[in-house]
Amino acid sequence: MVAIDLTGRNALVLGVANHRSLSWAIAQALHQAGARVCLTYAGERLRPGVEELAAKLEGATTLELDVTHDASIAAVHDRLARDWGSLEILVHGVAFANKEDLEGRFVDTPRQGFMMALDVSAYSFLSVTRHMLPLLETNGASLVTLSYLAAERAVPSYNVMGSAKAVLEQSVRQLAWELGPKKIRVNAVSAGPVSTLAARGIHGFVGMQKHHAEKAPLQRNITKEEVGSAALFLLSDLSSGITGEVLYVDAGYNVMGA
Ligand code: NAP
């Protein structure tokens, strides 16, 4: 087995809400591989929980980061520039849409709800990457964001979040092209349904999980740890020749036609 050693690498991980978060599984995998980890939380309400989780990863730090505010992103950049001086790993596990926009008809999505979902769930990847660029360029870096099959298929109730994921995946390809010369790789993990805070906001999520387990070639749902190890691969040198890709971690569900 090839060991993954991320000793000496700095990792910024966005999107840890609690112990169920996919970003938490990725943070744990990065820590186990030796990376120095900084977890961010979106607001004061989440701070105690995220600090409690960070305490489980020796040497991990926490910072507030609300992706809808450029000043908040800039403050994180300034702090990491001062404390670390470089960033080799960036994990973007952030998404949000109004609950009512994930229940009704897609055609009824109001402008404000559409813009908000795309801002938090897709534009934020660009914005955070741009702000962190001076740090990412220092030694080269690997970036991973989290997507879902609704980026390219119609999925009941996923509505505007599918639109956001489509933009997110296009952004992965465009950023990969643009940042490749700077030795910055950009990829996405497209995860099958995992029970998290965000996922439970999708109307009919439990039925969706059941359907995936019945139809997927592996005949089961995936675990967040499987997302963690796939992301670890993409964030390490084992994937040094890979950029602009969407890696499915969905027990094979996406290959099915009928
Ligand atoms: P999660 O634990 O609820 O994580 C979502 C995170 O996004 C939360 O930490 C949330 O913070 C954060 N967030 C929302 N608005 C933010 C803002 N303005 N600034 C900063 N952070 C903000 O759910 P998750 O399932 O692990 O989601 C992580 C990613 O995986 C998402 O992109 C999701 O679409 C994707 N994904 C999930 C699944 C699944 O089935 N779970 C499958 C495929 C892809 P708050 O709690 O404060 O809002």
Side-chain angles (χ1 to χ4, degrees):
M1 188 171 147
V2 186
I4 296 181
D5 184 6
L6 299 179
T7 307
R9 300 200 193 177
N10 299 316
L12 179 63
V13 180
L14 278 64
V16 176
N18 56 39
H19 72 282
R20 294 181 190 275
S21 298
L22 300 185
S23 285
W24 172 238
I26 299 172
Q28 286 177 295
L30 289 170
H31 174 76
Q32 272 163 25
R36 184 159 55 170
V37 175
C38 175
L39 306 179
T40 69
Y41 50 90
E44 267 307 302
R45 188 178 52 81
L46 286 175
R47 188 163 66 94
V50 174
E51 283 182 352
E52 201 176 304
L53 288 173
K56 295 178 199 274
L57 310 180
E58 202 192 329
T61 51
T62 61
L63 289 174
E64 182 169 354
L65 201 176
D66 179 344
V67 296
T68 60
H69 292 108
D70 282 350
S72 172
I73 308 174
V76 170
H77 164 270
D78 293 351
R79 181 67 184 272
L80 295 182
R82 193 194 74 191
D83 293 353
W84 286 355
S86 69
L87 193 59
E88 289 75 28
I89 293 167
L90 174 62
V91 177
H92 174 269
V94 172
F96 182 80
N98 290 323
K99 195 166 165 40
E100 57 273 23
D101 295 338
L102 300 175
E103 286 172 352
R105 301 188 308 175
F106 175 54
V107 72
D108 294 327
T109 312
R111 185 186 304 268
Q112 186 273 340
F114 193 92
M115 302 306 273
M116 147 107 80
L118 267 86
D119 183 20
V120 176
S121 317
Y123 179 71
S124 64
F125 189 42
L126 249 76
S127 179
V128 171
T129 300
R130 182 175 64 253
H131 280 87
M132 300 302 156
L133 216 44
L135 300 176
L136 296 168
E137 285 174 357
T138 307
N139 300 318
S142 181
L143 282 49
V144 161
T145 187
L146 295 171
S147 191
Y148 178 60
L149 190 60
E152 49 180 302
R153 308 278 171 82
V155 176
S157 296
Y158 218 78
N159 295 4
V160 65
M161 193 52 82
S163 314
K165 293 304 188 193
V167 171
L168 184 67
E169 292 190 8
Q170 183 275 338
S171 305
V172 165
R173 291 184 282 274
Q174 195 72 20
L175 286 172
W177 172 77
E178 207 166 84
L179 302 182
K182 297 181 185 298
K183 297 189 171 42
I184 298 172
R185 296 187 296 112
V186 188
N187 292 290
V189 167
S190 181
V194 179
S195 184
T196 63
L197 211 57
R200 290 198 161 264
I202 309 274
H203 184 69
F205 174 76
V206 174
M208 198 165 137
Q209 262 198 320
K210 190 165 172 284
H211 173 81
H212 268 253
E214 281 165 10
K215 305 294 178 203
L218 294 183
Q219 301 268 286
R220 63 173 175 84
N221 281 296
I222 58 145
T223 64
K224 66 180 190 321
E225 287 73 22
E226 288 173 320
V227 174
S229 47
L232 179 63
F233 161 70
L234 288 174
L235 294 165
S236 77
D237 295 343
L238 281 187
S239 60
S240 56
I242 301 174
T243 193
E245 286 296 329
V246 177
L247 177 62
Y248 294 89
V249 181
D250 65 350
Y253 181 87
N254 74 93
V255 306
M256 298 305 294

PDB file of all heavy atoms in Angstrom, residues 195-218:
ATOM      1  N   SER A 195     -26.303  11.219   5.007  1.00  0.00           N
ATOM      2  CA  SER A 195     -27.168  11.976   5.909  1.00  0.00           C
ATOM      3  C   SER A 195     -26.376  13.045   6.671  1.00  0.00           C
ATOM      4  O   SER A 195     -25.632  12.745   7.597  1.00  0.00           O
ATOM      5  CB  SER A 195     -27.846  11.007   6.892  1.00  0.00           C
ATOM      6  OG  SER A 195     -28.735  11.737   7.687  1.00  0.00           O
ATOM      7  N   THR A 196     -26.524  14.290   6.248  1.00  0.00           N
ATOM      8  CA  THR A 196     -25.883  15.434   6.900  1.00  0.00           C
ATOM      9  C   THR A 196     -26.951  16.510   7.094  1.00  0.00           C
ATOM     10  O   THR A 196     -28.064  16.369   6.592  1.00  0.00           O
ATOM     11  CB  THR A 196     -24.767  16.024   6.018  1.00  0.00           C
ATOM     12  OG1 THR A 196     -25.376  16.521   4.813  1.00  0.00           O
ATOM     13  CG2 THR A 196     -23.699  15.014   5.674  1.00  0.00           C
ATOM     14  N   LEU A 197     -26.556  17.590   7.753  1.00  0.00           N
ATOM     15  CA  LEU A 197     -27.481  18.702   7.988  1.00  0.00           C
ATOM     16  C   LEU A 197     -28.027  19.233   6.661  1.00  0.00           C
ATOM     17  O   LEU A 197     -29.240  19.392   6.479  1.00  0.00           O
ATOM     18  CB  LEU A 197     -26.714  19.811   8.710  1.00  0.00           C
ATOM     19  CG  LEU A 197     -27.478  20.695   9.682  1.00  0.00           C
ATOM     20  CD1 LEU A 197     -28.134  19.862  10.770  1.00  0.00           C
ATOM     21  CD2 LEU A 197     -26.519  21.713  10.282  1.00  0.00           C
ATOM     22  N   ALA A 198     -27.129  19.497   5.714  1.00  0.00           N
ATOM     23  CA  ALA A 198     -27.548  20.065   4.426  1.00  0.00           C
ATOM     24  C   ALA A 198     -28.427  19.070   3.661  1.00  0.00           C
ATOM     25  O   ALA A 198     -29.447  19.444   3.082  1.00  0.00           O
ATOM     26  CB  ALA A 198     -26.321  20.439   3.599  1.00  0.00           C
ATOM     27  N   ALA A 199     -28.041  17.794   3.672  1.00  0.00           N
ATOM     28  CA  ALA A 199     -28.775  16.791   2.909  1.00  0.00           C
ATOM     29  C   ALA A 199     -30.200  16.647   3.433  1.00  0.00           C
ATOM     30  O   ALA A 199     -31.145  16.452   2.660  1.00  0.00           O
ATOM     31  CB  ALA A 199     -28.055  15.456   2.973  1.00  0.00           C
ATOM     32  N   ARG A 200     -30.358  16.779   4.734  1.00  0.00           N
ATOM     33  CA  ARG A 200     -31.697  16.603   5.320  1.00  0.00           C
ATOM     34  C   ARG A 200     -32.633  17.753   4.960  1.00  0.00           C
ATOM     35  O   ARG A 200     -33.840  17.664   5.164  1.00  0.00           O
ATOM     36  CB  ARG A 200     -31.588  16.386   6.828  1.00  0.00           C
ATOM     37  CG  ARG A 200     -30.977  15.012   7.103  1.00  0.00           C
ATOM     38  CD  ARG A 200     -31.211  14.510   8.507  1.00  0.00           C
ATOM     39  NE  ARG A 200     -31.009  13.063   8.535  1.00  0.00           N
ATOM     40  CZ  ARG A 200     -31.970  12.169   8.432  1.00  0.00           C
ATOM     41  NH1 ARG A 200     -33.214  12.555   8.291  1.00  0.00           N
ATOM     42  NH2 ARG A 200     -31.688  10.890   8.470  1.00  0.00           N
ATOM     43  N   GLY A 201     -32.070  18.817   4.399  1.00  0.00           N
ATOM     44  CA  GLY A 201     -32.902  19.916   3.914  1.00  0.00           C
ATOM     45  C   GLY A 201     -33.533  19.611   2.564  1.00  0.00           C
ATOM     46  O   GLY A 201     -34.398  20.338   2.101  1.00  0.00           O
ATOM     47  N   ILE A 202     -33.091  18.524   1.916  1.00  0.00           N
ATOM     48  CA  ILE A 202     -33.653  18.146   0.613  1.00  0.00           C
ATOM     49  C   ILE A 202     -34.928  17.341   0.862  1.00  0.00           C
ATOM     50  O   ILE A 202     -34.884  16.307   1.545  1.00  0.00           O
ATOM     51  CB  ILE A 202     -32.651  17.266  -0.200  1.00  0.00           C
ATOM     52  CG1 ILE A 202     -31.268  17.921  -0.271  1.00  0.00           C
ATOM     53  CG2 ILE A 202     -33.219  16.891  -1.559  1.00  0.00           C
ATOM     54  CD1 ILE A 202     -31.072  18.908  -1.373  1.00  0.00           C
ATOM     55  N   HIS A 203     -36.021  17.814   0.299  1.00  0.00           N
ATOM     56  CA  HIS A 203     -37.296  17.130   0.479  1.00  0.00           C
ATOM     57  C   HIS A 203     -37.202  15.698  -0.079  1.00  0.00           C
ATOM     58  O   HIS A 203     -36.747  15.492  -1.203  1.00  0.00           O
ATOM     59  CB  HIS A 203     -38.385  17.917  -0.260  1.00  0.00           C
ATOM     60  CG  HIS A 203     -39.746  17.357  -0.069  1.00  0.00           C
ATOM     61  ND1 HIS A 203     -40.411  17.415   1.138  1.00  0.00           N
ATOM     62  CD2 HIS A 203     -40.579  16.721  -0.921  1.00  0.00           C
ATOM     63  CE1 HIS A 203     -41.584  16.849   1.018  1.00  0.00           C
ATOM     64  NE2 HIS A 203     -41.714  16.412  -0.219  1.00  0.00           N
ATOM     65  N   GLY A 204     -37.569  14.695   0.730  1.00  0.00           N
ATOM     66  CA  GLY A 204     -37.557  13.302   0.272  1.00  0.00           C
ATOM     67  C   GLY A 204     -36.174  12.663   0.307  1.00  0.00           C
ATOM     68  O   GLY A 204     -35.936  11.663  -0.372  1.00  0.00           O
ATOM     69  N   PHE A 205     -35.265  13.221   1.123  1.00  0.00           N
ATOM     70  CA  PHE A 205     -33.890  12.731   1.141  1.00  0.00           C
ATOM     71  C   PHE A 205     -33.788  11.247   1.536  1.00  0.00           C
ATOM     72  O   PHE A 205     -33.012  10.490   0.945  1.00  0.00           O
ATOM     73  CB  PHE A 205     -33.028  13.586   2.086  1.00  0.00           C
ATOM     74  CG  PHE A 205     -31.646  13.036   2.255  1.00  0.00           C
ATOM     75  CD1 PHE A 205     -30.700  13.201   1.252  1.00  0.00           C
ATOM     76  CD2 PHE A 205     -31.296  12.325   3.394  1.00  0.00           C
ATOM     77  CE1 PHE A 205     -29.423  12.666   1.380  1.00  0.00           C
ATOM     78  CE2 PHE A 205     -30.025  11.787   3.531  1.00  0.00           C
ATOM     79  CZ  PHE A 205     -29.095  11.958   2.527  1.00  0.00           C
ATOM     80  N   VAL A 206     -34.597  10.830   2.499  1.00  0.00           N
ATOM     81  CA  VAL A 206     -34.502   9.446   2.977  1.00  0.00           C
ATOM     82  C   VAL A 206     -34.877   8.464   1.851  1.00  0.00           C
ATOM     83  O   VAL A 206     -34.194   7.452   1.640  1.00  0.00           O
ATOM     84  CB  VAL A 206     -35.379   9.238   4.241  1.00  0.00           C
ATOM     85  CG1 VAL A 206     -35.414   7.774   4.662  1.00  0.00           C
ATOM     86  CG2 VAL A 206     -34.849  10.091   5.384  1.00  0.00           C
ATOM     87  N   GLY A 207     -35.925   8.820   1.110  1.00  0.00           N
ATOM     88  CA  GLY A 207     -36.325   7.989  -0.025  1.00  0.00           C
ATOM     89  C   GLY A 207     -35.239   7.948  -1.093  1.00  0.00           C
ATOM     90  O   GLY A 207     -35.012   6.923  -1.737  1.00  0.00           O
ATOM     91  N   MET A 208     -34.551   9.058  -1.246  1.00  0.00           N
ATOM     92  CA  MET A 208     -33.470   9.163  -2.233  1.00  0.00           C
ATOM     93  C   MET A 208     -32.318   8.206  -1.869  1.00  0.00           C
ATOM     94  O   MET A 208     -31.765   7.519  -2.719  1.00  0.00           O
ATOM     95  CB  MET A 208     -32.976  10.608  -2.175  1.00  0.00           C
ATOM     96  CG  MET A 208     -32.191  11.104  -3.313  1.00  0.00           C
ATOM     97  SD  MET A 208     -32.190  12.921  -3.086  1.00  0.00           S
ATOM     98  CE  MET A 208     -30.522  13.249  -3.460  1.00  0.00           C
ATOM     99  N   GLN A 209     -32.013   8.158  -0.570  1.00  0.00           N
ATOM    100  CA  GLN A 209     -30.950   7.258  -0.106  1.00  0.00           C
ATOM    101  C   GLN A 209     -31.318   5.798  -0.361  1.00  0.00           C
ATOM    102  O   GLN A 209     -30.494   4.996  -0.802  1.00  0.00           O
ATOM    103  CB  GLN A 209     -30.744   7.463   1.395  1.00  0.00           C
ATOM    104  CG  GLN A 209     -29.591   8.368   1.726  1.00  0.00           C
ATOM    105  CD  GLN A 209     -29.156   8.195   3.165  1.00  0.00           C
ATOM    106  OE1 GLN A 209     -29.989   8.058   4.053  1.00  0.00           O
ATOM    107  NE2 GLN A 209     -27.879   8.203   3.402  1.00  0.00           N
ATOM    108  N   LYS A 210     -32.594   5.483  -0.099  1.00  0.00           N
ATOM    109  CA  LYS A 210     -33.081   4.114  -0.288  1.00  0.00           C
ATOM    110  C   LYS A 210     -32.970   3.735  -1.767  1.00  0.00           C
ATOM    111  O   LYS A 210     -32.492   2.650  -2.112  1.00  0.00           O
ATOM    112  CB  LYS A 210     -34.541   4.060   0.189  1.00  0.00           C
ATOM    113  CG  LYS A 210     -35.129   2.682   0.285  1.00  0.00           C
ATOM    114  CD  LYS A 210     -36.427   2.738   1.102  1.00  0.00           C
ATOM    115  CE  LYS A 210     -37.160   1.415   1.056  1.00  0.00           C
ATOM    116  NZ  LYS A 210     -37.859   1.173  -0.188  1.00  0.00           N
ATOM    117  N   HIS A 211     -33.377   4.654  -2.627  1.00  0.00           N
ATOM    118  CA  HIS A 211     -33.331   4.428  -4.070  1.00  0.00           C
ATOM    119  C   HIS A 211     -31.883   4.195  -4.534  1.00  0.00           C
ATOM    120  O   HIS A 211     -31.604   3.266  -5.306  1.00  0.00           O
ATOM    121  CB  HIS A 211     -33.942   5.637  -4.786  1.00  0.00           C
ATOM    122  CG  HIS A 211     -33.809   5.606  -6.268  1.00  0.00           C
ATOM    123  ND1 HIS A 211     -34.656   4.874  -7.073  1.00  0.00           N
ATOM    124  CD2 HIS A 211     -32.902   6.188  -7.096  1.00  0.00           C
ATOM    125  CE1 HIS A 211     -34.286   5.026  -8.334  1.00  0.00           C
ATOM    126  NE2 HIS A 211     -33.228   5.816  -8.375  1.00  0.00           N
ATOM    127  N   HIS A 212     -30.963   5.028  -4.054  1.00  0.00           N
ATOM    128  CA  HIS A 212     -29.544   4.869  -4.421  1.00  0.00           C
ATOM    129  C   HIS A 212     -29.047   3.474  -4.023  1.00  0.00           C
ATOM    130  O   HIS A 212     -28.372   2.799  -4.796  1.00  0.00           O
ATOM    131  CB  HIS A 212     -28.693   5.936  -3.725  1.00  0.00           C
ATOM    132  CG  HIS A 212     -28.501   7.182  -4.543  1.00  0.00           C
ATOM    133  ND1 HIS A 212     -27.305   7.497  -5.143  1.00  0.00           N
ATOM    134  CD2 HIS A 212     -29.356   8.188  -4.848  1.00  0.00           C
ATOM    135  CE1 HIS A 212     -27.439   8.649  -5.801  1.00  0.00           C
ATOM    136  NE2 HIS A 212     -28.672   9.086  -5.628  1.00  0.00           N
ATOM    137  N   ALA A 213     -29.376   3.078  -2.798  1.00  0.00           N
ATOM    138  CA  ALA A 213     -28.881   1.789  -2.297  1.00  0.00           C
ATOM    139  C   ALA A 213     -29.424   0.630  -3.131  1.00  0.00           C
ATOM    140  O   ALA A 213     -28.738  -0.369  -3.356  1.00  0.00           O
ATOM    141  CB  ALA A 213     -29.264   1.622  -0.824  1.00  0.00           C
ATOM    142  N   GLU A 214     -30.659   0.770  -3.583  1.00  0.00           N
ATOM    143  CA  GLU A 214     -31.265  -0.305  -4.382  1.00  0.00           C
ATOM    144  C   GLU A 214     -30.673  -0.373  -5.782  1.00  0.00           C
ATOM    145  O   GLU A 214     -30.488  -1.447  -6.346  1.00  0.00           O
ATOM    146  CB  GLU A 214     -32.778  -0.072  -4.493  1.00  0.00           C
ATOM    147  CG  GLU A 214     -33.526  -0.508  -3.247  1.00  0.00           C
ATOM    148  CD  GLU A 214     -34.959   0.050  -3.222  1.00  0.00           C
ATOM    149  OE1 GLU A 214     -35.416   0.599  -4.253  1.00  0.00           O
ATOM    150  OE2 GLU A 214     -35.587  -0.049  -2.168  1.00  0.00           O
ATOM    151  N   LYS A 215     -30.369   0.793  -6.368  1.00  0.00           N
ATOM    152  CA  LYS A 215     -29.975   0.841  -7.778  1.00  0.00           C
ATOM    153  C   LYS A 215     -28.466   0.826  -8.012  1.00  0.00           C
ATOM    154  O   LYS A 215     -28.016   0.496  -9.112  1.00  0.00           O
ATOM    155  CB  LYS A 215     -30.546   2.106  -8.447  1.00  0.00           C
ATOM    156  CG  LYS A 215     -32.040   2.263  -8.327  1.00  0.00           C
ATOM    157  CD  LYS A 215     -32.789   1.185  -9.085  1.00  0.00           C
ATOM    158  CE  LYS A 215     -34.295   1.323  -8.916  1.00  0.00           C
ATOM    159  NZ  LYS A 215     -35.032   0.092  -9.147  1.00  0.00           N
ATOM    160  N   ALA A 216     -27.674   1.241  -7.031  1.00  0.00           N
ATOM    161  CA  ALA A 216     -26.228   1.363  -7.241  1.00  0.00           C
ATOM    162  C   ALA A 216     -25.592  -0.013  -7.420  1.00  0.00           C
ATOM    163  O   ALA A 216     -26.006  -0.978  -6.765  1.00  0.00           O
ATOM    164  CB  ALA A 216     -25.593   2.074  -6.050  1.00  0.00           C
ATOM    165  N   PRO A 217     -24.596  -0.136  -8.280  1.00  0.00           N
ATOM    166  CA  PRO A 217     -23.911  -1.430  -8.468  1.00  0.00           C
ATOM    167  C   PRO A 217     -23.428  -2.056  -7.156  1.00  0.00           C
ATOM    168  O   PRO A 217     -23.516  -3.263  -6.990  1.00  0.00           O
ATOM    169  CB  PRO A 217     -22.732  -1.053  -9.372  1.00  0.00           C
ATOM    170  CG  PRO A 217     -23.231   0.102 -10.167  1.00  0.00           C
ATOM    171  CD  PRO A 217     -24.119   0.884  -9.239  1.00  0.00           C
ATOM    172  N   LEU A 218     -22.963  -1.236  -6.218  1.00  0.00           N
ATOM    173  CA  LEU A 218     -22.482  -1.806  -4.944  1.00  0.00           C
ATOM    174  C   LEU A 218     -23.625  -2.103  -3.979  1.00  0.00           C
ATOM    175  O   LEU A 218     -23.396  -2.592  -2.864  1.00  0.00           O
ATOM    176  CB  LEU A 218     -21.455  -0.872  -4.289  1.00  0.00           C
ATOM    177  CG  LEU A 218     -20.129  -0.692  -5.038  1.00  0.00           C
ATOM    178  CD1 LEU A 218     -19.176   0.214  -4.239  1.00  0.00           C
ATOM    179  CD2 LEU A 218     -19.448  -2.027  -5.317  1.00  0.00           C
TER     180      LEU A 218
END
